[in-house]
């Protein structure tokens, strides 16, 4: 009975230890998996927030650049005098001063005959600048492909009340250094690159800026549509571009997953587009969280190792105690058996003695009066 009780206690102890060990092993592992899932969600949300805030900031930069150039034009037209319009030399001198004052590559005035006046020459502009083919009644932005194959961006505005050589000045335009503007927006750090570009609603590139692996000037919609994995996404991007809607999508790009965010630039008909590879954000944003996960896993491994060591120690102690208990039980059994054997030998010897002497054990019981009440004889 005692042996069975001890065995039950031992089995219960082992079961309890195994259950505790399993619980302590599962909890850290589940915690690590939960941390990993939470990290992925956090990185996705942070990526989206980072790209959208970056896009809003860059859109503001572009808008400020366009407003700044419009301010240059308004200021230049407000200070022109009759003396500046008195001769070709004076007129060119005025145009040169404005160009140098604001650091503009091109500052020009256009008359009703289509002649373009700059600080160094006068020429017919309709062939060189297609946006002058039609009368300018509002601010327009137009790109021109120069002889070197580079894209130039121009802002043109209508002009009134100014005459030169008996001809009415109808427009003024300036060149915007769009390449410099795009380089200022590009973000590079520790192998992480964020690509920016501006596209028309039909997907044509407005700038010569590099956009990932796309060749300068390549149509982004055509590039996206050429990848089979992007066919469904292409429809959404195309519709958003045409309608001037903001969008955030994940696309397959150069055999990698990339985040593509685009939003319209007010009053231009342009779409500012940002491309960030998912691996870049994961490496940058997720590095600290990955370190936390590694520490969590290390803590779980150490915890499991300590528990396993304690479990082994407990098993060894239980086995040692079991061997000691078994040895004690065997010793008690041996001594008990020896005592029974000795008692049997003595009993047999007494029986022999009694048989030889004709004696044996007897007893007499007396009552209160001293009379024999009971007598037993073996």
């Amino acid at each position: 009975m005692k042996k069975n009780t001890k065995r039950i206690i031992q089995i219960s102890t082992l079961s309890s230890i195994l259950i505790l060990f399993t619980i302590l092993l599962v909890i850290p592992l589940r915690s690590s998996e939960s941390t990993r899932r939470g990290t992925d969600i956090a990185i996705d949300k942070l990526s989206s927030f980072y790209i959208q805030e970056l896009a809003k900031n860059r859109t503001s930069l572009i808008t400020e650049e366009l407003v700044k150039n419009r301010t240059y034009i308004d200021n230049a037209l407000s200070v022109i005098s009759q003396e500046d319009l008195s001769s070709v030399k004076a007129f060119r001198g005025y145009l040169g001063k404005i160009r140098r004052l604001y650091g503009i590559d091109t500052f020009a005035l256009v008359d009703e005959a289509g002649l373009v006046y700059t600080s160094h020459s006068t020429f017919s502009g309709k062939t060189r600048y297609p946006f002058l083919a039609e009368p300018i009644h509002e601010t327009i932005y137009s790109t021109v492909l120069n002889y070197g194959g580079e894209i130039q961006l121009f802002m043109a505005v209508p002009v009134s009340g100014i005459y030169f050589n008996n001809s009415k000045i109808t427009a003024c335009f300036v060149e915007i250094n769009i390449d410099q503007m795009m380089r200022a927006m590009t973000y590079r750090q520790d192998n992480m690159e964020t690509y920016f570009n501006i596209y028309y609603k039909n997907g044509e590139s407005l700038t010569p800026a590099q956009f990932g692996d796309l060749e300068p000037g390549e149509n982004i919609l055509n590039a996206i549509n050429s990848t089979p994995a992007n066919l469904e996404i292409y429809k959404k991007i195309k519709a958003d571009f045409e309608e001037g809607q903001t969008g955030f999508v994940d696309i397959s790009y150069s055999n990698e997953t990339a985040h593509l965010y685009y939003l319209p630039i007010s009053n231009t008909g342009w779409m500012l587009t940002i491309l960030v590879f998912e691996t870049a954000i994961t490496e940058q944003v997720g590095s600290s969280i990955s370190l936390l996960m590694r520490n969590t896993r290390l803590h779980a491994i150490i915890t499991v190792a300590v528990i396993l060591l304690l479990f082994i120690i407990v098993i060894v102690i239980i086995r040692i105690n079991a061997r000691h208990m078994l040895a004690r039980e065997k010793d008690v059994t041996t001594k008990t058996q020896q005592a029974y054997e000795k008692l049997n030998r003595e009993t047999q010897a007494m029986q022999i003695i009694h048989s030889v002497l004709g004696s044996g054990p007897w007893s007499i019981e007396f009552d209160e009066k001293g009379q024999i009440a009971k007598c037993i004889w073996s």
Side-chain angles (χ1 to χ4, degrees), residues 9-190:
I9 293 173
Q10 291 177 0
I11 294 172
S12 300
T13 303
L14 289 174
S15 300
S16 300
I17 293 174
L18 286 173
I19 292 172
L20 178 62
F21 174 77
T22 303
I23 292 174
L24 293 177
L25 177 63
V26 169
I27 289 176
L29 294 178
R30 289 180 63 87
S31 176
S32 177
E33 180 64 21
S34 177
T35 301
R36 186 191 64 78
R37 290 196 300 268
T39 299
D40 292 341
I41 294 173
I43 289 177
D44 287 340
K45 290 183 178 180
L46 191 57
S47 300
S48 176
F49 175 78
Y50 161 75
I51 295 174
Q52 292 184 39
E53 289 301 312
L54 199 59
K56 292 176 183 178
N57 176 267
R58 296 305 190 264
T59 302
S60 299
L61 291 178
I62 296 173
T63 302
E64 290 172 4
E65 183 69 18
L66 298 180
V67 170
K68 180 177 69 175
N69 280 272
R70 178 55 195 264
T71 302
Y72 292 164
I73 294 175
D74 292 340
N75 292 342
L77 296 178
S78 66
V79 298
I80 192 171
S81 64
Q82 289 300 319
E83 183 178 351
D84 296 325
L85 300 169
S86 61
S87 66
V88 173
K89 181 179 180 180
F91 195 31
R92 288 181 179 176
Y94 157 78
L95 295 173
K97 286 189 293 184
I98 295 299
R99 188 174 62 83
R100 291 190 297 273
L101 175 63
Y102 294 119
I104 303 172
D105 292 335
T106 301
F107 179 81
L109 291 174
V110 184
D111 69 8
E112 55 191 351
L115 290 178
V116 176
Y117 297 93
T118 68
S119 60
H120 57 275
S121 64
T122 301
F123 54 88
S124 177
K126 292 184 179 180
T127 56
R128 182 178 299 184
Y129 302 109
F131 60 87
L132 297 178
E134 299 292 335
I136 297 175
H137 301 293
E138 60 182 7
T139 301
I140 64 169
Y141 303 95
S142 181
T143 54
V144 175
L145 190 66
N146 66 12
Y147 299 113
E150 295 181 352
I151 297 177
Q152 296 173 289
L153 174 64
F154 292 93
M155 172 192 287
V157 300
V159 176
S160 62
I162 298 177
Y163 294 86
F164 179 71
N165 282 345
N166 297 319
S167 181
K168 181 180 179 182
I169 301 298
T170 59
C172 174
F173 67 86
V174 296
E175 180 182 353
I176 299 174
N177 194 331
I178 191 169
D179 186 47
Q180 180 180 352
M181 182 171 62
M182 296 307 298
R183 284 200 304 269
M185 290 193 296
T186 301
Y187 175 79
R188 294 180 177 91
Q189 181 179 0
D190 297 335

Side-chain angles (χ1 to χ4, degrees), residues 161-319:
I162 298 177
Y163 294 86
F164 179 71
N165 282 345
N166 297 319
S167 181
K168 181 180 179 182
I169 301 298
T170 59
C172 174
F173 67 86
V174 296
E175 180 182 353
I176 299 174
N177 194 331
I178 191 169
D179 186 47
Q180 180 180 352
M181 182 171 62
M182 296 307 298
R183 284 200 304 269
M185 290 193 296
T186 301
Y187 175 79
R188 294 180 177 91
Q189 181 179 0
D190 297 335
N191 297 324
M192 176 184 178
E193 188 161 16
T194 302
Y195 298 97
F196 292 85
N197 204 355
I198 303 174
Y199 293 93
Y200 290 109
K201 292 184 177 182
N202 63 358
E204 292 294 333
S205 178
L206 180 68
T207 78
Q210 180 185 1
F211 196 70
D213 295 333
L214 292 184
E215 294 294 330
E218 186 174 352
N219 188 301
I220 187 174
L221 295 180
N222 293 341
I224 293 173
N225 191 34
S226 63
T227 304
N230 297 328
L231 293 182
E232 289 300 322
I233 299 175
Y234 163 76
K235 298 177 182 179
K236 169 179 170 51
I237 298 175
K238 184 174 184 295
D240 288 342
F241 267 52
E242 292 175 351
E243 298 172 7
Q245 298 293 325
T246 300
F248 183 84
V249 296
D250 292 337
I251 62 172
S252 178
Y253 190 86
S254 299
N255 297 321
E256 292 188 55
T257 299
H259 301 295
L260 184 70
Y261 183 73
Y262 47 87
L263 74 166
I265 301 175
S266 300
N267 303 319
T268 61
W270 304 341
M271 298 295 288
L272 175 65
T273 308
I274 300 179
L275 177 73
V276 182
F277 286 103
E278 185 177 26
T279 53
I281 292 183
T282 302
E283 291 173 0
Q284 295 292 323
V285 180
S287 58
S288 59
I289 301 178
S290 297
L291 178 61
L292 177 61
M293 290 183 63
R294 286 196 297 270
N295 292 336
T296 301
R297 293 192 184 101
L298 179 61
H299 180 267
I301 292 171
I302 292 174
T303 301
V304 171
V306 171
I307 294 172
L308 182 60
L309 179 61
L310 292 175
F311 177 74
I312 293 173
I313 292 173
V314 170
I315 292 298
V316 171
I317 292 174
I318 291 174
R319 290 177 65 88

Side-chain angles (χ1 to χ4, degrees), residues 350-351 354-355 358-364 375-378:
M350 287 299 296
Q351 289 176 352
H354 286 308
S355 63
S359 63
W362 56 271
S363 64
I364 298 176
C375 179
I376 300 175
W377 176 263
S378 174

